[in-house]
Amino acid sequence: MAARSKHVGHYIHQNSRLIFSHFEHLLVRRNLGGIAAVCQRNAPVQRESADAIVVPRKKTWSKEAVLQALAATVKRDPTAPHYMFQDDPYLTPRTSGEFKLYSLSQQSGIMAAKHVINTNPKFFQKDFAEPHIPCLMPETIELRIEDVSEAALLERITLRKVKAAVDMYDQLLQAGTTVSTDATNDLLDLICLYGDHDPVQDDKPETEDVDDARRRKGRPRRAADLVKVVWRENNNAERIFNLLPERNSRAFSALIRGMVKYGAHMKAFNTYTDMLNNRLTADVHTFNALISATTEVREKYNDKWDLVVDLLKQMNEQKVKPNLLTFNAVLKALRRCGPLAKGQSLHTLSEMKALGIAPSLASFHHLLGIFYKSVSSSQGQTEILQEVLTEVAGKTFVPQDPDDVYFFSTAIRICLETKDLESAYRVHNLLNVGENWRLLGDSFQQSIYYGRIFNLLCMMEHIDVVLKWYKELIPSLYYPNTQGMKDLLQALDTDNRLDMIPQIWKDIRRMGHDNKADLVEEMLSLMARDRHSPEVQESFAVCALDVRSLYEHGQGAKMALEWSITAMTNITTILLAAQKNKQAWDMLKLFKTKNRVPSEALIEEFLVRIKDSQQAVELVQISASFCLENTSNLVKRVLQTFELSEEQRSILSELEVTTHINE
Amino acid sequence: MYRRLLVSVCQTRHRALHSYTRESCLRSSECDRTLLIGRHANQRVFNAFGTSSVAYCEKKDETLPLKDTGVVQDGVQKEAVQMVGEKLVELQDAVETAAGRSEQRVNLEMVVGQKSETVEEIIVKTNELNQHQDVNMEVVNNIVEDKVAKQTPQQRYTTQQGTDVIPEEQIQPVKSGKEGLLQLLGAMKVDVTNKRKQKSLKVQRSSEGPARPQTEAMESTFSMFQEASGMADVSAPTARHALSAKLVAAASAAASVLPNKAKAESELLKKLRQHEAVGEAQKNGDNIGVIISDMKVGRRPNVRHKARPANPIQFDDDGRGYTHDRGITAELDGGLRRRSLFTGKRLSIFTPRFEAEADKDLARPTLWDVDFANNVAQSATQLPRNGFEEMIQWTKEGKLWQYPVDNEAGLEEESQVPFYEHVFLEKHLEEGFPRQGPIRHFMELVVSGLAKNPYYTVQQKRDHINWFRDYFKQKEEVLKESEVRLGQAPRNLINHPGMGWSRVSCEVNVQLFQMLPWSQFRAGKSGIVHVSFITGRVALCQSA
């Protein structure tokens, strides 16, 4: 700005002296910027002096603004591994298992370092950083104040040591000290938040087990954590609460929230009644907790909903302003309210709109959950998905509710169930708006999301587009499972692009799915089924030989595949089709060693290909050794088509006799 | 009308069967066509067709594999009969006469199954039921007559025979009559396949308490009609005169058999209107196109699809009860459908208030708030995708010096201090320094130097001034002893720290300099020294 005005000023100074002659005596001594300022100030004033001057508001930039702008210029490279793994190309993951392992090991390394630092703070006192960086210094996790005082209690509360805090409180009471209301409330908050158990520290090794559990169950770990702890009868929270001389609404609130969090729903409502009897009013968080508990305390759909409405009315009476979480809780409760949910959920949305509360992704997630409960009832409800997508299109969402992250996988599930490709594209576009990708959830949610979208694409989209997406998504974002690869193979089959199979096979090997018998067999059967051009057959044969070596030797630590009859037949057929008679002949011998019986059609196929009479006789011998039914037929054909020596003839006639005897 | 409907249903079913068999084998290239249909189907809007028939289309998809197993169906029928009791034997006979044709048989058996269920629930005597059925068939025939006027009187006659041998085409009105009755009474579309698959469940339920399903069914029916009333009211004025007086009379006759007469009658009439609406919709719409467009063609039989019972009663996802997703609710949704999500009526519990609320939100965050914020943040934590995002993360964690976005970058502790605290430092000279004289003069120079120093914090500047204050206080005796004439100010004394390396040459009053901290200097012969300062430290060099 300054530079530009300077130029303008310079220009004016040089060329427009006549115009500004009356300024001249003033201007000469000024620098050029000054001239510009004068000119600029004067010009608009002459024209629009009536207009009030609008002082622009100061623009405050966040400290990451520049970095964000820079980051926005970087596009994802679909050929590169995730950024996390770029430091060490040796550790570039190729399978989902490796991805999980490497990312978790990185995290656990960070955690281990933190653990060492925090447990040995005395070795890490030197502060090199200028200015000071607090997060690099050891955190105090040990208690410092030993004597019995309220300060000690507060310290235990801030360090989240539930048991120690309760002990301290008891000691204080025994010593006859009165604890201030704030401290008591904090203590109750602490106990109720952690359900009267010491919280699992972040830097403890337990998290490893949690990750295991999460992998096994396939559910986010928070749910597992909550189930573990239950609200016990007369636990410390209730005990301390009962000891309180005067119970304020914050204490009640803490108790109710704790009860709801740890599954004592009935009790929470009783406590709420107590609270009303004490002429206290609840805050919005308490109501949110109670609303989320309604589905547990009532059996019938109508009763559940009536209770929710009742709570909302009480909120209104008590002049409590509902927030987004209130309505999300209502919508979540409605998911369990059966048939009346559909109408009421829309009314709830309208209510949100009337109150000026913008729904978050979690609201839409619940809404979709209400309207698309099961596969068959999703018929005829696609409009809701459309409307939701219209509503959210192009908007940037910030995380406001822990359930926000389930929206994308839910939406794409519905698209998959209704086979709605258009909507799927819209969902995916929404994901690319702004920071919305952050709301895709953890890696488990992400793999579900991408798995579903890839499944849908394979099903509905033309193969060229599918392959484009394939290159885009795999393997930088998504490591498909066996089913995903099967879908892809079927899509290739549908659009007659089987010639892509060798390429896909490379990916399959890279992603470690080459030990999945069903996938490999499906691929072989696709390759063996039809006739193709010689080049394609050639590439198929290479691929088949690759598969054969895999069957024979296995692969490192992985188990070698068990030969199945179809796999062997298919490989042999592919090799025959590619004119690789020798390898095919080897395969035929392999049947014998693996105790498998080739099909008659395969033998026929061989007979067509064979040029050498000796081989033909051998083939008949093999066929006879398997006791195939059409051996006699084969003998006839060999006798007709090949020029045979006497010896060979005798062998054949012998075989014919034996087969007749067998029959 | 209904015959047309049936034909289309059959066609649809054939096609569904076709596609189904194709699905079940590996995808051949032929599948393309069905695939295309499926794609079309998904883009088309679902509506306008009688929900029951659509439900049939839906169901056909999934019940087909079981269709031709007549034995199984007989078994099922037996079971149904068991549950109903012996009162329905005649009815079953009627069904069996029609059993020759497998297609219709499925339909009819379904209907009978449904009917038996209904009858079981409301416990009506069989003869009553038959009477009922006749009446209702009459009603339906009237509808058919009124609106379609397609059937010959002869056909109508055979229809009224009811349980006689029925020509192939005529089974449809019977079916629809029964269906109408069924929907009126129970509005519960529990069909044969349902029973087969949920056999154990059903038995269990009936053994638990025979009264419960009844109440449930009635309850849901009533709630449904309550819901429906909203829609019906809208269309009532147009619909009412559309129903002929004959129809109304027939309906009231039918209702008189039921215990709650008035209610039943009104419900019957409502149902009739609905039928009419459906008929209208079908007349207008392209039936087969709609049916086909509603078909869902999956290319691969999904395991989950199979595992789910192919009937309208299903478990909720949370496993807490049933969702009764039946035709009428779907129609209701159709009626209530709105342009946007937010234009519907609201709960009207809260009154929007626009007053500024900044009262209690300012309270210090409790542990709950912290925990919630953590949860939300953790749910949306993603690994950085590129180096810049990693730097953003580090910046947020405080590990990285923030990228300068303005001239005040890095002024964390000074960000709250206004500039005039830095520049106007004279006020610190108010106390502890003489009003005038060389010390005052010196200090003014110090202050002007400090004012131009961009590197010191305000506190450091104050400390600097304070140091001089203390120093002069300590040296007060020295000053007095040496009888310095404080009133005489040295000219052009010093340029103070802050200008960095400024080299000042000045004439100095030697005496004054001797009392200054840097008194180790030696004055030159001329008494002129070069003084250079680096931020408060003084190095003196003798001038040449």
Side-chain angles (χ1 to χ4, degrees):
Chain A
M1 184 67 208
R4 211 186 305 156
S5 52
K6 198 169 169 182
H7 281 297
V8 172
H10 189 75
Y11 177 81
I12 293 164
H13 186 68
Q14 284 185 339
N15 301 327
S16 314
R17 275 185 178 254
L18 288 175
I19 304 169
F20 294 100
S21 57
H22 57 288
F23 280 136
E24 209 175 82
H25 66 281
L26 221 157
L27 298 181
V28 169
R29 286 169 198 275
R30 301 245 165 137
N31 63 15
L32 301 174
I35 302 167
V38 169
C39 299
Q40 284 191 338
R41 212 173 294 137
N42 281 357
V45 165
Q46 283 164 359
R47 257 179 272 130
E48 39 194 290
S49 53
D51 288 65
I53 296 168
V54 182
V55 181
R57 284 175 54 196
K58 187 188 177 189
K59 169 85 181 153
T60 45
W61 295 95
S62 74
K63 54 185 177 179
E64 303 98 14
V66 174
L67 286 171
Q68 270 162 355
L70 286 171
T73 62
V74 182
K75 283 217 180 85
R76 196 174 63 83
D77 177 8
T79 61
H82 195 279
Y83 174 75
M84 181 171 46
F85 304 113
Q86 281 185 351
D87 285 344
D88 197 346
Y90 180 73
L91 291 179
T92 301
R94 288 165 306 166
T95 69
S96 58
E98 283 180 353
F99 179 84
K100 221 170 267 175
L101 186 67
Y102 294 161
S103 51
L104 283 180
S105 58
Q106 200 181 35
Q107 286 304 312
S108 80
I110 295 172
M111 300 260 251
K114 267 209 172 123
H115 179 70
V116 169
I117 292 177
N118 285 341
T119 45
N120 303 297
K122 58 179 184 292
F123 298 130
F124 299 95
Q125 289 306 323
K126 190 141 182 73
D127 190 2
F128 293 100
E130 176 65 38
H132 177 66
I133 300 175
C135 73
L136 292 184
M137 300 306 286
E139 294 165 24
T140 44
I141 52 168
E142 298 302 320
L143 297 171
R144 294 241 174 95
I145 310 173
E146 291 299 326
D147 57 333
V148 179
S149 67
E150 192 171 318
L153 176 65
L154 287 176
E155 187 198 27
R156 278 152 184 74
I157 290 172
T158 40
L159 290 179
R160 317 257 170 126
K161 298 208 178 285
V162 178
K163 292 250 179 329
V166 171
D167 287 346
M168 180 59 67
Y169 183 78
D170 289 343
Q171 286 174 19
L172 280 171
L173 281 197
Q174 275 167 13
T177 334
T178 49
V179 184
S180 71
T181 325
D182 269 350
T184 321
N185 284 337
D186 281 346
L187 178 66
L188 270 179
D189 273 348
L190 179 75
I191 301 171
C192 294
L193 179 62
Y194 292 110
D196 200 13
H197 286 264
D198 270 324
V200 180
Q201 292 291 331
D202 281 343
D203 52 357
K204 291 276 167 60
E206 275 93 333
T207 42
E208 187 63 29
D209 301 337
V210 171
D211 277 330
D212 273 348
R214 177 189 189 175
R215 207 176 310 157
R216 271 200 307 275
K217 290 175 66 189
R219 298 294 304 166
R221 69 179 154 189
R222 248 168 277 117
D225 277 1
L226 298 191
V227 173
K228 217 161 46 185
V229 182
V230 288
W231 188 266
R232 280 179 293 109
E233 192 74 23
N234 282 328
N235 62 5
N236 284 320
E238 286 184 32
R239 189 173 55 84
I240 291 173
F241 180 76
N242 289 332
L243 287 176
L244 285 183
E246 57 161 334
R247 298 159 191 173
N248 56 10
S249 66
R250 208 184 133 196
F252 269 108
S253 166
L255 207 61
I256 292 172
R257 292 173 84 179
M259 282 167 175
V260 171
K261 188 171 180 189
Y262 294 104
H265 302 106
M266 223 38 229
K267 222 165 189 183
F269 275 93
N270 293 340
T271 316
Y272 175 63
T273 320
D274 280 354
M275 185 173 183
L276 290 186
N277 290 340
N278 284 0
R279 294 166 187 283
L280 292 169
T281 55
D283 64 346
V284 63
H285 305 293
T286 316
F287 277 113
N288 293 353
L290 285 173
I291 288 170
S292 60
T294 47
T295 50
E296 304 291 336
V297 296
R298 292 285 186 276
E299 287 287 326
K300 286 185 183 164
Y301 296 147
N302 286 333
D303 293 352
K304 287 179 187 177
W305 177 242
D306 289 345
L307 187 58
V308 170
V309 172
D310 191 35
L311 282 171
L312 290 177
K313 281 182 179 152
Q314 289 181 30
M315 276 180 92
N316 194 34
E317 280 163 18
Q318 297 179 19
K319 302 265 185 296
V320 178
K321 208 170 156 62
N323 58 15
L324 172 72
L325 295 170
T326 313
F327 288 107
N328 281 355
V330 171
L331 287 170
K332 198 172 183 178
L334 270 173
R335 293 181 75 170
R336 293 168 153 205
C337 283
L340 52 83
K342 293 188 181 181
Q344 298 299 345
S345 60
L346 292 170
H347 297 166
T348 311
L349 273 190
S350 304
E351 184 85 5
M352 288 172 83
K353 168 123 176 143
L355 293 181
I357 297 170
S360 77
L361 285 183
S363 323
F364 293 119
H365 161 68
H366 296 314
L367 188 71
L368 291 179
I370 288 166
F371 275 90
Y372 299 87
K373 263 203 184 303
S374 53
V375 177
S376 59
S377 67
S378 62
Q379 272 291 325
Q381 296 293 352
T382 24
E383 286 82 359
I384 292 292
L385 179 63
Q386 303 293 346
E387 282 169 17
V388 167
L389 288 178
T390 315
E391 184 61 36
V392 297
K395 284 188 189 165
T396 311
F397 287 90
V398 288
Q400 288 170 293
D401 185 318
D403 284 341
D404 278 349
V405 292
Y406 300 114
F407 172 79
F408 284 107
S409 52
T410 312
I412 210 78
R413 171 178 68 81
I414 292 157
C415 295
L416 181 61
E417 276 168 8
T418 56
K419 312 262 189 303
D420 191 349
L421 198 60
E422 287 300 312
S423 302
Y425 281 131
R426 291 177 74 188
V427 173
H428 197 69
N429 284 340
L430 175 69
L431 191 65
N432 291 329
V433 174
E435 294 276 283
N436 286 353
W437 62 276
R438 289 190 179 277
L439 291 167
L440 195 49
D442 54 11
S443 64
F444 176 69
Q445 290 280 339
Q446 284 179 20
S447 64
I448 288 181
Y449 173 82
Y450 286 118
R452 279 173 181 160
I453 203 170
F454 188 63
N455 191 351
L456 184 63
L457 285 167
C458 284
M459 231 186 274
M460 308 297 290
E461 198 46 281
H462 189 260
I463 187 66
D464 293 337
V465 186
V466 174
L467 287 174
K468 203 193 91 209
W469 279 99
Y470 179 78
K471 289 201 186 88
E472 180 79 16
L473 296 179
I474 296 165
S476 59
L477 276 181
Y478 169 55
Y479 301 96
N481 52 12
T482 325
Q483 192 55 48
M485 294 315 288
K486 271 191 195 170
D487 288 338
L488 179 64
L489 287 177
Q490 284 177 4
L492 286 173
D493 184 20
T494 314
D495 283 334
N496 282 325
R497 287 297 303 276
L498 289 176
D499 53 315
M500 294 289 296
I501 285 184
Q503 246 174 292
I504 304 294
W505 167 244
K506 276 183 200 150
D507 288 346
I508 291 176
R509 288 208 66 164
R510 204 186 56 210
M511 282 182 278
H513 289 317
D514 50 1
N515 58 346
K516 309 283 186 338
D518 50 346
L519 179 62
V520 174
E521 277 174 25
E522 169 145 8
M523 191 191 73
L524 287 175
S525 70
L526 283 177
M527 287 198 293
R529 202 184 58 204
D530 299 325
R531 292 261 164 275
H532 301 276
S533 64
E535 299 85 47
V536 176
Q537 288 293 1
E538 183 64 30
S539 66
F540 278 7
V542 173
C543 187
L545 287 174
D546 197 22
V547 175
R548 193 181 71 173
S549 70
L550 204 68
Y551 270 101
E552 277 164 1
H553 311 299
Q555 194 188 35
K558 284 179 192 164
M559 290 277 289
L561 287 167
E562 187 73 19
W563 276 113
S564 75
I565 178 82
T566 47
M568 292 176 92
T569 312
N570 285 332
I571 290 181
T572 318
T573 318
I574 296 164
L575 290 173
L576 275 179
Q579 313 285 349
K580 293 193 183 299
N581 288 347
K582 190 176 168 304
Q583 281 94 337
W585 194 251
D586 291 344
M587 278 303 296
L588 194 62
K589 284 180 180 153
L590 203 63
F591 274 94
K592 192 80 184 167
T593 53
K594 298 287 177 193
N595 291 325
R596 300 280 192 275
V597 180
S599 68
E600 288 167 7
L602 188 65
I603 301 286
E604 293 279 334
E605 184 89 357
F606 261 106
L607 198 58
V608 174
R609 300 278 173 182
I610 283 173
K611 301 282 179 288
D612 181 25
S613 61
Q614 182 58 38
Q615 257 186 344
V617 174
E618 268 184 59
L619 182 71
V620 178
Q621 277 176 324
I622 289 173
S623 168
S625 70
F626 286 121
C627 301
L628 294 179
E629 277 184 15
N630 67 343
T631 307
S632 54
N633 198 5
L634 275 180
V635 171
K636 272 180 210 138
R637 283 180 59 191
V638 171
L639 286 173
Q640 280 167 12
T641 44
F642 292 95
E643 299 222 339
L644 299 169
S645 66
E646 271 311 306
E647 198 186 344
Q648 288 165 336
R649 274 176 197 284
S650 66
I651 293 171
L652 283 187
S653 53
E654 210 173 287
L655 284 176
E656 197 169 13
V657 170
T658 49
T659 47
H660 276 300
I661 290 168
N662 285 345
E663 281 165 13
Chain B
M1 191 69 212
Y2 277 105
R3 197 171 56 189
R4 235 177 96 197
L5 207 152
L6 176 69
V7 170
S8 56
V9 166
C10 287
Q11 279 177 349
T12 317
R13 213 230 324 242
H14 280 307
R15 204 159 304 195
L17 171 64
H18 209 55
S19 57
Y20 190 84
T21 45
R22 281 187 193 179
E23 287 161 35
S24 54
C25 56
L26 280 176
R27 274 184 227 170
S28 61
S29 52
E30 284 168 335
C31 256
D32 278 358
R33 212 171 36 196
T34 43
L35 175 70
L36 281 175
I37 294 170
R39 261 180 226 179
H40 259 296
N42 283 307
Q43 284 153 9
R44 293 287 285 268
V45 183
F46 160 87
N47 213 341
F49 207 75
T51 46
S52 55
S53 59
V54 171
Y56 273 134
C57 297
E58 270 300 288
K59 242 171 285 163
K60 283 294 148 32
D61 266 349
E62 289 160 282
T63 54
L64 272 177
L66 302 162
K67 183 201 68 175
D68 51 352
T69 58
V71 187
V72 178
Q73 287 185 347
D74 280 342
V76 171
Q77 214 166 349
K78 288 270 153 51
E79 189 191 310
V81 170
Q82 261 183 351
M83 292 176 72
V84 173
E86 279 128 18
K87 286 174 186 171
L88 275 177
V89 171
E90 301 117 329
L91 200 61
Q92 196 191 354
D93 285 343
V95 172
E96 274 167 4
T97 52
R101 296 166 294 275
S102 64
E103 311 284 333
Q104 272 76 12
R105 202 166 148 240
V106 175
N107 291 345
L108 200 63
E109 276 177 9
M110 271 184 202
V111 173
V112 171
Q114 291 168 334
K115 170 164 281 190
S116 58
E117 186 82 13
T118 324
V119 170
E120 182 204 4
E121 279 160 7
I122 55 171
I123 316 172
V124 195
K125 295 234 165 72
T126 318
N127 46 3
E128 243 180 28
L129 180 84
N130 281 338
Q131 192 186 347
H132 233 91
Q133 185 187 341
D134 285 342
V135 172
N136 270 288
M137 275 189 295
E138 215 170 80
V139 169
V140 171
N141 280 332
N142 284 337
I143 302 172
V144 172
E145 188 184 41
D146 283 343
K147 274 163 231 135
V148 188
K150 203 173 172 186
Q151 288 176 321
T152 60
Q154 187 191 357
Q155 280 170 329
R156 227 181 310 146
Y157 172 72
T158 46
T159 314
Q160 280 169 345
Q161 299 277 312
T163 51
D164 283 347
V165 179
I166 304 162
E168 192 165 355
E169 296 90 342
Q170 288 313 300
I171 201 131
Q172 188 52 43
V174 175
K175 195 199 90 164
S176 56
K178 286 174 177 178
E179 202 180 352
L181 174 69
L182 155 86
Q183 289 192 348
L184 287 177
L185 297 180
M188 234 179 116
K189 272 202 292 183
V190 182
D191 53 22
V192 178
T193 48
N194 167 28
K195 211 177 286 167
R196 191 182 308 142
K197 283 182 182 164
Q198 293 191 321
K199 197 193 298 176
S200 55
L201 180 86
K202 192 125 278 181
V203 169
Q204 198 188 352
R205 233 188 352 154
S206 56
S207 65
E208 265 173 23
R212 206 176 135 231
Q214 183 193 346
T215 51
E216 236 178 51
M218 296 306 277
E219 206 176 76
S220 59
T221 316
F222 291 151
S223 67
M224 204 174 58
F225 276 120
Q226 277 162 12
E227 278 180 285
S229 63
M231 191 187 74
D233 286 344
V234 179
S235 59
T238 50
R240 196 174 296 273
H241 61 79
L243 290 173
S244 68
K246 228 167 132 190
L247 260 172
V248 175
S252 58
S256 63
V257 192
L258 286 169
N260 190 349
K261 194 176 161 189
K263 191 166 198 171
E265 189 181 342
S266 68
E267 281 171 9
L268 278 174
L269 288 175
K270 207 171 282 169
K271 187 69 209 170
L272 288 178
R273 272 183 223 116
Q274 239 167 31
H275 270 289
E276 195 177 41
V278 169
E280 284 296 324
Q282 282 164 0
K283 220 184 283 175
N284 297 336
D286 179 11
N287 285 355
I288 293 175
V290 172
I291 297 170
I292 291 173
S293 72
D294 283 329
M295 277 167 46
K296 201 164 76 176
V297 182
R299 281 164 76 178
R300 181 165 36 79
N302 197 335
V303 188
R304 255 185 86 218
H305 283 240
K306 272 188 175 170
R308 283 184 178 277
N311 57 61
I313 293 193
Q314 277 160 349
F315 280 108
D316 262 7
D317 281 356
D318 51 12
R320 297 218 161 248
Y322 297 114
T323 45
H324 294 259
D325 179 64
R326 65 187 80 74
I328 296 176
T329 32
E331 268 173 35
L332 220 150
D333 287 335
L336 287 176
R337 188 145 299 140
R338 59 209 60 69
R339 292 294 95 203
S340 154
L341 284 176
F342 300 108
T343 49
K345 71 174 175 46
R346 64 193 192 93
L347 291 174
S348 307
I349 292 174
F350 296 103
T351 44
R353 285 186 295 260
F354 295 104
E355 80 266 24
E357 25 111 26
D359 40 6
K360 59 208 164 192
D361 287 349
L362 290 176
R364 145 184 97 91
T366 61
L367 281 174
W368 291 96
D369 300 335
V370 174
D371 184 61
F372 177 76
N374 267 344
N375 269 348
V376 171
Q378 205 162 29
S379 74
T381 309
Q382 298 285 343
L383 294 166
R385 296 181 302 180
N386 54 49
F388 292 122
E389 282 178 3
E390 195 172 32
M391 284 163 82
I392 290 174
Q393 198 181 327
W394 286 343
T395 313
K396 279 180 184 160
E397 286 168 4
K399 290 178 189 168
L400 195 69
W401 189 68
Q402 75 175 63
Y403 205 92
V405 288
D406 52 21
N407 290 338
E408 282 149 31
L411 292 178
E412 283 86 11
E413 67 262 45
E414 288 290 299
S415 57
Q416 297 308 316
V417 181
F419 81 97
Y420 48 82
E421 292 282 335
H422 278 274
V423 175
F424 302 123
L425 296 164
E426 281 81 4
K427 61 182 177 186
H428 301 298
L429 303 183
E430 295 298 316
E431 51 178 310
F433 292 104
R435 289 259 157 219
Q436 53 187 358
I439 292 179
R440 175 75 185 186
H441 188 76
F442 171 75
M443 281 317 294
E444 274 168 6
L445 289 170
V446 167
V447 161
S448 79
L450 283 173
K452 291 172 187 168
N453 186 333
Y455 304 109
Y456 278 17
T457 64
V458 167
Q459 191 53 46
Q460 275 173 313
K461 290 179 182 179
R462 279 186 203 141
D463 290 346
H464 201 84
I465 296 168
N466 289 340
W467 185 90
F468 279 111
R469 187 181 292 127
D470 291 344
Y471 180 79
F472 287 126
K473 208 163 269 173
Q474 281 169 16
K475 301 287 177 185
E476 216 166 358
E477 289 91 38
V478 185
L479 288 173
K480 278 182 182 156
E481 275 172 24
S482 61
E483 293 174 340
V484 175
R485 293 178 55 213
L486 291 172
Q488 185 192 340
R491 284 171 298 152
N492 199 7
L493 176 63
I494 275 170
N495 200 352
H496 195 73
M499 298 314 287
W501 261 110
S502 67
R503 235 168 147 212
V504 183
S505 97
C506 52
E507 286 178 64
V508 190
N509 185 327
V510 177
Q511 279 182 322
L512 179 61
F513 259 95
Q514 264 172 343
M515 64 176 213
L516 284 174
W518 45 81
S519 54
Q520 56 269 53
F521 85 107
R522 291 176 302 156
K525 284 174 208 156
S526 62
I528 297 171
V529 290
H530 288 272
V531 188
S532 53
F533 298 90
I534 313 168
T535 59
R537 235 172 251 167
V538 181
L540 297 177
C541 31
Q542 207 157 351
S543 65

